[in-house]
Amino acid sequence: MKSCGVIVEYNPFHNGHAYHIEQSRETAQADCMVAVMSGNFLQRGEPAIIDKWQRTRAALQSGVDLVLELPYLFAVQHSDYFSRGAVQTLSNAGVDAICFGSENGAITPFIKAHETLTAHGEVFNNNLRKHLDEGLSYPEAARFAYEDIGIASIDLGQPNNILGYSYIKQILDHHRHVTPFTIERTGSQYHDQHMDGSIASATSIRKELLAHGEMTEKALDAIPLPTLDGLNEYYQKNKVWHHWEHYFSLLQYKILTTPAEQLQLIHGVDEGLEHRFKNAIKKATSFHQLIENVKTKRYTWTRLQRTCVHILTGLTKEEARHWLHEGTAYVRVLGMNKTGQSYLNVQKKRMNVPLLTQPQQWSHPVLDMEERSVAAYYSALPAQQRVECMSKEYGSPVRI
Amino acid sequence: MKSCGVIVEYNPFHNGHAYHIEQSRETAQADCMVAVMSGNFLQRGEPAIIDKWQRTRAALQSGVDLVLELPYLFAVQHSDYFSRGAVQTLSNAGVDAICFGSENGAITPFIKAHETLTAHGEVFNNNLRKHLDEGLSYPEAARFAYEDIGIASIDLGQPNNILGYSYIKQILDHHRHVTPFTIERTGSQYHDQHMDGSIASATSIRKELLAHGEMTEKALDAIPLPTLDGLNEYYQKNKVWHHWEHYFSLLQYKILTTPAEQLQLIHGVDEGLEHRFKNAIKKATSFHQLIENVKTKRYTWTRLQRTCVHILTGLTKEEARHWLHEGTAYVRVLGMNKTGQSYLNVQKKRMNVPLLTQPQQWSHPVLDMEERSVAAYYSALPAQQRVECMSKEYGSPVRI
């Protein structure tokens, strides 16, 4: 059985994602499509609009055969760690290929860029450090450092290309048995705020939904039926589609009740950021206001959002340093259909990390962090629903 | 100017309190009545129904001349530390007398009891330890230990007598220049749940108000006009009368996201209580349910409530051990009338600890703990009101 992995967030699953799955299956000639998906918090440092279980179900009902969890530890990180965790998880799960979306759909420029980097790694690292010292944000500094060594064949200013390039680096450096593919993105750009037609970005769909607080015609055009059902079901049950403002009160409490010297131990709270947060939080009445007042040229909105998630979950520098370095320690199944199940039955004998269908099967610090992120995420829910939703963390994967 | 101190919580200020002030003033022949009051969290480990500023205003409008803050560190503790902090604060503020309510209004039994204890201190301590080892709660163990050495002239099963006796111990051991008085309590008992007539316990008034969510005829009978105004104003502005259930979501978040080995560092989380909390919190959908499931013969409801407050504010064993031992480091004014002001003008020259009318006048770890308790308390409010209320912490005392 041939398999192809995709690296996703599905926040929420939309028509563009369905197209990506279909195209990837064709390109890689795959029988089983395996998605590694961020859990309840996402790479840009935001809570997912609905939880990982509803997003898993929608993905399975829309063409994905198997959904694996990208642990929180790797999911809410800049592209390098995010990619490392995602590619490792897919590789551990035994995929033959990985297919990602890019701006022009050609794999050669990515591979060439990687060759250039391998040849000029030291220069790249020195320049990266230099640009960071100049006060640039990490993505900016990285982009300039790439340009310095002549990687200009792909536009590393495009979010999809940045991620794609990180995947290629991981695959070619550590997982050479996995074949990389890329397909051209269609329709809206990653961050597009406006939506028009049946292919829209997840960002624009969320914006539309959160602005109206209910399903709209426009959003309906851009998502398949399972996503519609998932969004509606989640809202009816839990009275919420998650966004940052739901967590502002909690974040304010956490920052105010955590002494500066402890806040400083949190992953991402660097270079006196604890004092910027402590000063800004006293007067802020919304999350938006807080970030506006804390952000600088160096600390981008996304970087600060990620840091705020880590403040909520209490992820320390020490934990992050140690366990990011260790790499993914397990493969956790969020959901599967019959094809996914058959695939796993074959693969599980070959895996060299534990395969978890229930997290309590195993005890591991990275699972503890996952549990903390789950508790933080559902704290936006009413008491009864909160307890019900949290219990899903210890239940079985979604099966369709 | 002759002064008399009282030790209070005013949660809320009611007719019984007004009577206590009046009687104490007469008994001690005082020109200035000084109250040391718990802030936003109370001795029994509960949030005050309205904040310390509204309670201060009501007290000043009902006969008190000067309101001082009992720091959070001392306020949310068993009777020994509570009394130590309260008597020290009053003594530091230079009061001539302290007058407390007791079941029969005679001071001699308290003084005799103290003499007995001084003579048999070692036996008392040994017996106390023995009873604790038998699994009794602290109040029970202390009561038996008192009985063991023959202190039976006052009923140390009565909450007011327990507190009164703690005050006497503090005064006679460390503050002999202060004259102790006691007056007989009238009307309802401390913990009475039922109210009837113009003298009712604060417990029964809170129960009435929280059950109805609005002012009732019965409650109105038991409180003076300034308390009515304070309760109404606070509710109109902040949409809340505080009780534990408002904090349950926060507490659940905090317990779930704090690793057991860190939870264990919190003051009061002893002997594996961290595991009892962590297990019970997963399934609890209310604060009441949580405590029901955690409590044992040894860990009383009150003791656990206090521990939950410390979990919310992050008060560590290390902080508590060190700073409770150090004693009160300052006298903070919450409010005063002209008499209170004149009194302070004279006393401040004699004080050997700083007199604070604004906490940012001084930097001290006990003030940092206060700030954390303020942040935790107001986290029950909507964002705009929360920021406004928190800013009062850095403002001036109430003046009438």
Side-chain angles (χ1 to χ4, degrees):
Chain A
M1 193 189 283
K2 229 171 162 186
S3 60
C4 176
V6 289
I7 297 163
V8 303
E9 302 214 293
Y10 294 160
N11 183 36
F13 189 97
H14 57 58
N15 294 338
H17 294 132
Y19 172 82
H20 176 211
I21 288 296
E22 200 182 299
Q23 290 292 303
S24 302
R25 191 187 285 275
E26 212 179 294
T27 306
Q29 296 182 291
D31 309 295
C32 181
M33 287 303 299
V34 183
V36 60
M37 188 181 84
S38 304
N40 290 337
F41 289 99
L42 306 174
Q43 203 245 331
R44 300 191 63 221
E46 284 169 359
I49 188 166
I50 52 176
D51 74 4
K52 55 189 174 191
W53 305 108
Q54 286 287 6
R55 280 154 50 236
T56 294
R57 181 171 294 279
L60 292 173
Q61 288 169 336
S62 304
V64 177
D65 300 301
L66 174 63
V67 181
L68 307 176
E69 178 164 85
L70 178 61
Y72 160 68
L73 173 66
F74 293 91
V76 186
Q77 302 291 348
H78 66 59
S79 55
D80 283 359
Y81 285 128
F82 177 87
S83 305
R84 187 186 298 186
V87 173
Q88 269 185 357
T89 301
L90 289 173
S91 174
N92 283 336
V95 297
D96 301 303
I98 288 179
C99 186
F100 57 91
S102 63
E103 299 312 320
N104 69 5
I107 199 77
T108 317
F110 286 101
I111 295 177
K112 280 218 169 121
H114 181 261
E115 281 167 7
T116 311
L117 185 71
T118 310
H120 305 287
E122 204 174 325
V123 181
F124 173 84
N125 284 331
N126 289 340
N127 287 346
L128 177 66
R129 199 176 311 276
K130 194 187 78 189
H131 294 310
L132 284 171
D133 288 345
E134 286 160 11
L136 295 184
S137 68
Y138 184 88
E140 279 183 312
R143 185 153 63 95
F144 283 123
Y146 286 131
E147 280 176 15
D148 291 343
I149 57 167
I151 301 183
S153 54
I154 40 172
D155 177 1
L156 287 168
Q158 295 288 349
N160 273 292
N161 284 345
I162 294 177
L163 279 171
Y165 180 66
S166 303
Y167 302 153
I168 285 291
K169 234 176 20 176
Q170 287 300 320
I171 293 171
L172 298 182
D173 285 350
H174 307 291
H175 308 278
R176 286 208 161 246
H177 60 281
V178 175
T179 310
F181 291 102
T182 183
I183 52 167
E184 194 182 338
R185 289 174 50 79
T186 53
S188 296
Q189 299 296 307
Y190 186 69
H191 288 320
D192 265 5
Q193 304 281 317
H194 303 290
M195 53 190 314
D196 188 22
S198 69
I199 302 284
S201 74
T203 305
S204 67
I205 296 169
R206 285 197 306 279
K207 215 185 155 203
E208 173 83 5
L209 293 173
L210 296 174
H212 292 83
E214 58 177 10
M215 191 52 64
T216 68
E217 287 289 327
K218 263 192 180 174
L220 205 51
D221 268 357
I223 56 173
L225 203 61
T227 299
L228 172 69
D229 291 344
L231 283 163
N232 284 343
E233 196 181 309
Y234 194 85
Y235 195 89
Q236 274 161 25
K237 213 168 157 188
N238 302 320
K239 320 290 176 225
V240 73
W241 284 332
H242 299 250
H243 61 85
W244 247 119
E245 296 301 345
H246 293 127
Y247 298 90
F248 176 65
S249 144
L250 204 61
L251 184 68
Q252 192 167 42
Y253 156 80
K254 187 72 188 278
I255 294 175
L256 285 170
T257 57
T258 307
E261 63 274 18
Q262 275 176 41
L263 201 56
Q264 194 253 108
L265 302 178
I266 296 293
H267 179 51
V269 181
D270 301 323
E271 301 167 337
L273 211 48
E274 68 275 19
H275 302 297
R276 290 187 66 81
F277 271 119
K278 281 212 157 255
N279 287 334
I281 198 74
K282 275 187 191 163
K283 291 185 178 166
T285 54
S286 71
F287 181 72
H288 193 272
Q289 211 178 68
L290 172 70
I291 302 293
E292 274 294 350
N293 290 334
V294 173
K295 85 172 158 52
T296 61
K297 197 176 163 204
R298 173 70 169 266
Y299 294 114
T300 61
W301 195 280
T302 302
R303 160 71 203 275
L304 291 173
Q305 283 197 149
R306 279 200 288 260
T307 303
C308 288
V309 177
H310 302 320
I311 291 174
L312 278 189
T313 65
L315 182 71
T316 65
K317 288 188 171 86
E318 203 186 326
E319 285 175 316
R321 199 179 300 132
H322 185 81
W323 296 108
L324 283 170
H325 180 77
E326 285 283 309
T328 56
Y330 57 85
V331 170
R332 180 183 179 191
V333 182
L334 291 179
M336 57 198 152
N337 61 16
K338 293 220 170 67
T339 306
Q341 172 78 71
S342 311
Y343 172 78
L344 275 184
N345 285 344
V346 176
Q347 291 301 326
K348 68 181 172 194
K349 293 159 202 152
R350 306 180 189 161
M351 285 189 198
N352 44 24
V353 295
L355 174 72
L356 309 179
T357 50
Q358 291 191 319
Q360 69 269 44
Q361 291 169 313
W362 208 44
S363 168
H364 194 276
V366 174
L367 285 170
D368 293 344
M369 297 170 208
E370 199 65 43
E371 200 175 339
R372 275 144 56 194
S373 81
V374 165
Y377 182 78
Y378 290 124
S379 65
L381 264 49
Q384 189 64 45
Q385 285 83 339
R386 187 163 63 235
V387 166
E388 275 171 33
C389 281
M390 284 192 305
S391 73
K392 284 192 265 176
E393 187 65 14
Y394 315 103
S396 299
V398 178
R399 282 166 206 266
I400 67 158
Chain B
M1 194 189 282
K2 228 173 165 184
S3 60
C4 175
V6 288
I7 297 163
V8 302
E9 302 212 294
Y10 294 159
N11 183 36
F13 189 98
H14 56 60
N15 294 338
H17 295 133
Y19 172 84
H20 175 211
I21 288 294
E22 200 183 300
Q23 291 293 303
S24 301
R25 191 188 285 275
E26 212 178 291
T27 306
Q29 296 184 293
D31 309 294
C32 181
M33 288 302 299
V34 183
V36 60
M37 187 181 83
S38 304
N40 291 337
F41 289 100
L42 306 174
Q43 203 246 331
R44 299 191 65 223
E46 283 169 2
I49 188 167
I50 52 176
D51 73 5
K52 55 189 174 190
W53 305 108
Q54 287 286 6
R55 278 152 52 233
T56 294
R57 180 171 296 278
L60 292 173
Q61 288 169 336
S62 305
V64 177
D65 299 301
L66 174 62
V67 182
L68 308 175
E69 177 165 87
L70 179 60
Y72 159 68
L73 173 66
F74 294 92
V76 186
Q77 301 291 348
H78 64 59
S79 57
D80 283 359
Y81 285 128
F82 176 88
S83 306
R84 186 186 301 185
V87 173
Q88 268 185 356
T89 301
L90 288 172
S91 174
N92 283 336
V95 297
D96 301 303
I98 288 178
C99 187
F100 57 90
S102 61
E103 300 311 322
N104 69 6
I107 200 76
T108 319
F110 286 100
I111 294 175
K112 281 220 167 116
H114 181 262
E115 281 167 6
T116 311
L117 185 71
T118 310
H120 305 286
E122 203 173 330
V123 180
F124 173 83
N125 285 331
N126 289 342
N127 287 346
L128 178 64
R129 199 174 313 274
K130 193 188 79 191
H131 294 308
L132 284 173
D133 288 345
E134 286 160 10
L136 294 184
S137 68
Y138 184 89
E140 279 183 313
R143 185 153 63 95
F144 283 123
Y146 286 131
E147 283 178 13
D148 291 344
I149 58 170
I151 301 185
S153 53
I154 39 172
D155 177 0
L156 288 168
Q158 296 287 351
N160 274 291
N161 284 346
I162 294 176
L163 279 170
Y165 180 65
S166 301
Y167 302 152
I168 285 291
K169 233 176 21 176
Q170 286 300 321
I171 293 170
L172 297 183
D173 286 348
H174 306 291
H175 308 277
R176 285 207 163 249
H177 60 280
V178 176
T179 311
F181 292 104
T182 183
I183 52 169
E184 193 182 340
R185 289 174 49 80
T186 53
S188 296
Q189 299 296 307
Y190 186 68
H191 289 318
D192 263 6
Q193 305 281 319
H194 303 289
M195 53 190 314
D196 188 21
S198 69
I199 301 282
S201 75
T203 305
S204 68
I205 296 170
R206 284 198 305 280
K207 212 185 158 204
E208 173 82 5
L209 292 174
L210 295 174
H212 292 82
E214 58 177 11
M215 191 52 63
T216 68
E217 286 290 327
K218 262 191 181 175
L220 204 51
D221 267 359
I223 55 174
L225 203 59
T227 299
L228 172 68
D229 291 344
L231 283 163
N232 284 343
E233 197 182 305
Y234 194 84
Y235 195 89
Q236 272 159 26
K237 215 168 153 188
N238 302 319
K239 320 290 175 223
V240 73
W241 284 333
H242 298 250
H243 60 85
W244 247 120
E245 296 301 345
H246 293 127
Y247 297 91
F248 176 64
S249 146
L250 205 61
L251 183 68
Q252 193 168 39
Y253 156 80
K254 188 73 189 274
I255 294 175
L256 285 171
T257 57
T258 307
E261 63 274 18
Q262 275 177 40
L263 201 57
Q264 193 252 108
L265 301 178
I266 296 293
H267 180 53
V269 181
D270 300 324
E271 301 166 338
L273 211 48
E274 68 275 19
H275 301 298
R276 289 187 68 82
F277 271 119
K278 281 213 158 252
N279 287 334
I281 198 73
K282 274 187 194 163
K283 290 185 179 166
T285 55
S286 72
F287 180 73
H288 193 272
Q289 210 179 70
L290 172 72
I291 302 294
E292 274 295 351
N293 290 335
V294 173
K295 86 173 159 49
T296 61
K297 197 176 165 204
R298 173 71 168 267
Y299 295 113
T300 61
W301 195 280
T302 301
R303 160 74 203 273
L304 291 173
Q305 284 198 146
R306 280 201 287 261
T307 303
C308 287
V309 177
H310 302 320
I311 291 174
L312 278 190
T313 65
L315 182 72
T316 64
K317 288 187 169 87
E318 203 188 326
E319 285 176 315
R321 199 179 300 132
H322 184 83
W323 296 108
L324 284 170
H325 180 77
E326 284 284 308
T328 57
Y330 57 86
V331 170
R332 180 183 179 189
V333 182
L334 290 179
M336 56 198 152
N337 62 15
K338 293 219 171 66
T339 307
Q341 173 77 70
S342 311
Y343 172 77
L344 274 185
N345 285 342
V346 176
Q347 292 300 327
K348 69 181 171 193
K349 293 159 203 154
R350 307 179 189 161
M351 284 188 197
N352 44 23
V353 294
L355 174 72
L356 308 180
T357 49
Q358 291 190 319
Q360 67 269 45
Q361 290 168 314
W362 208 45
S363 168
H364 194 276
V366 174
L367 285 170
D368 293 344
M369 295 170 209
E370 199 66 42
E371 202 176 337
R372 275 146 52 193
S373 81
V374 165
Y377 182 77
Y378 290 124
S379 65
L381 265 48
Q384 187 65 44
Q385 286 83 339
R386 187 162 65 234
V387 167
E388 274 170 35
C389 282
M390 283 192 306
S391 74
K392 283 192 263 177
E393 187 65 15
Y394 315 102
S396 299
V398 178
R399 281 165 207 269
I400 67 158

